[in-house]
Amino acid sequence: MNKIVVIGSMSIDLVVSAAKRPGKGETILGETFFTTPGGKGANQAVAAARLGDQVHMIGRIGNDDFGKEIHENLKSNNVIVDSVEPVTHLPSGTAHITLAEEDNSIIVVPSANNEVNVSYVDKYLSTLNKGDIVLLQQEIPGETVTHVVDYCAAHDVISILNPAPYREVDQTVIEKVSYLTPNETESAEMFNGNVEQALIQYPNKLIVTLGSKGAVYYNGKEKVEVPGYKREVKDTTGAGDTFNGAFAVGLQKSYSLEKALAFANLAASYSVMGMGAQGGMPNLTDIEGEWHV
Ligand code: RIB
């Protein structure tokens, strides 16, 4: 079986819920507070490991309590952590999340995640084999993303870039990556509002996620809309990560693109029903009643 390798960020999420967001210069009272493992890379790895097999994480943590918690959490979710190394000069990454008015706002402080640099990933890229699946996001340096996508294209490794949080993506990355999975806002930024045209320009590669409405792509002949699921929402944090992790698992299972996206939509719909980025991420047994292979 081909392995899934997530190259990306790991963080501890510090989550506050409140009736509203504070305005500039304003102090308000919150309702609840909790800390929980997060970071888009770690979330995608956990989502993939709950549904698939042989999931590796390449990333960096601080030599601190948060780092230990991140490491333990990955291990207890069966993510292989041989390529997760601590840095001594920076703390672990953190994400500061406000839940209010049925949505989240997030400030990410990458810290140790900024050390997922080209020389660090170079130590591990030779472990990738033809057909393996690499998942990338944008809470690590941009040069690393470009370098990994280049390497994957040259070695027949499948690459998925989830361009979140949004920052400009090199045109060479767009050309060389196997799959791009922006949401509606990110795709509008990436293609200057010309998303319909971009879907046609990048068939079977550009997949625009639409939350509970599912996902769309162009198959070379027509636009394909893969429907999502309406659920009772507790917390949308990590839904996109669940989608990406599950999509990688769909490819690992050799599903067609459309079927892999249907699988990803189903898994993402479960994730919004639990609190915290990883709280609602399903196992295969959770979704089997609704998934008919
Ligand atoms: O995608 C959700 C994640 O974004 C959170 O877990 C938080 O860590 C931020 O990076």
Side-chain angles (χ1 to χ4, degrees):
M1 173 168 289
N2 295 317
K3 59 183 179 292
I4 294 173
V5 180
V6 180
I7 303 180
S9 60
M10 298 170 284
S11 297
I12 290 293
D13 292 351
L14 299 108
V15 188
V16 168
S17 71
K20 62 165 200 160
R21 286 167 181 75
K24 195 174 170 188
E26 187 185 11
T27 302
I28 61 168
L29 297 182
E31 288 163 358
T32 63
F33 172 74
F34 62 93
T35 64
T36 189
K40 291 186 191 298
N43 292 344
Q44 294 180 8
V46 169
R50 287 189 188 169
L51 297 164
D53 221 349
Q54 288 188 51
V55 179
H56 297 246
M57 180 81 212
I58 298 179
R60 306 209 74 178
I61 47 181
N63 189 13
D64 50 24
D65 288 346
F66 280 171
K68 287 190 195 94
E69 189 179 341
I70 291 166
H71 198 259
E72 281 309 308
N73 178 62
L74 289 172
K75 280 205 298 188
S76 66
N77 279 284
N78 296 321
V79 177
I80 301 160
V81 289
D82 300 348
S83 326
V84 173
E85 291 182 35
V87 297
T88 48
H89 61 292
L90 286 170
S92 295
T94 50
H96 305 258
I97 302 181
T98 303
L99 301 179
E101 297 149 315
E102 288 172 18
D103 214 338
N104 59 36
S105 326
I106 309 181
I107 299 177
V108 173
V109 185
S111 302
N113 295 305
N114 279 332
E115 294 298 304
V116 186
N117 51 30
V118 169
S119 65
Y120 183 72
V121 297
D122 266 347
K123 295 205 300 187
Y124 296 107
L125 289 181
S126 61
T127 62
L128 295 172
N129 299 315
K130 185 174 172 181
D132 283 346
I133 301 150
V134 166
L135 256 172
L136 295 150
Q137 336 67 36
Q138 305 209 110
E139 293 176 341
I140 57 171
E143 311 84 78
T144 308
V145 171
T146 305
H147 181 69
V148 173
V149 168
D150 245 9
Y151 184 94
C152 291
H155 294 83
D156 290 329
V157 171
I158 297 166
S159 55
I160 304 170
L161 173 61
N162 172 221
Y166 185 72
R167 69 176 169 223
E168 209 174 318
V169 178
D170 291 350
Q171 188 59 30
T172 58
V173 170
I174 297 177
E175 299 301 332
K176 289 186 180 183
V177 77
S178 313
Y179 300 102
L180 265 177
T181 59
N183 64 19
E184 283 171 287
T185 317
E186 291 150 3
S187 58
E189 286 184 89
M190 187 176 278
F191 300 106
N192 299 317
N194 298 319
V195 179
E196 292 300 316
Q197 192 192 314
L199 282 167
I200 294 168
Q201 193 179 351
Y202 299 108
N204 301 310
K205 171 192 291 222
L206 175 61
I207 296 148
V208 178
T209 62
L210 308 169
S212 65
K213 289 194 233 107
V216 295
Y217 69 101
Y218 186 75
N219 68 5
K221 285 195 199 126
E222 59 190 358
K223 193 166 151 183
V224 182
E225 296 178 4
V226 188
Y229 299 77
K230 282 250 175 288
R231 304 289 192 193
E232 198 141 314
V233 176
K234 272 199 186 146
D235 183 1
T236 57
T237 311
D241 300 328
T242 310
F243 177 93
N244 280 278
F247 174 50
V249 172
L251 298 178
Q252 185 183 47
K253 291 177 184 290
S254 304
Y255 291 166
S256 68
L257 178 55
E258 187 171 0
K259 189 168 170 181
L261 294 174
F263 184 69
N265 283 339
L266 179 61
S269 78
Y270 273 70
S271 80
V272 303
M273 296 190 283
M275 287 302 288
Q278 299 172 13
M281 285 177 181
N283 292 304
L284 269 184
T285 45
D286 296 324
I287 62 173
E288 65 192 0
E290 285 185 85
W291 182 249
H292 307 288
V293 183

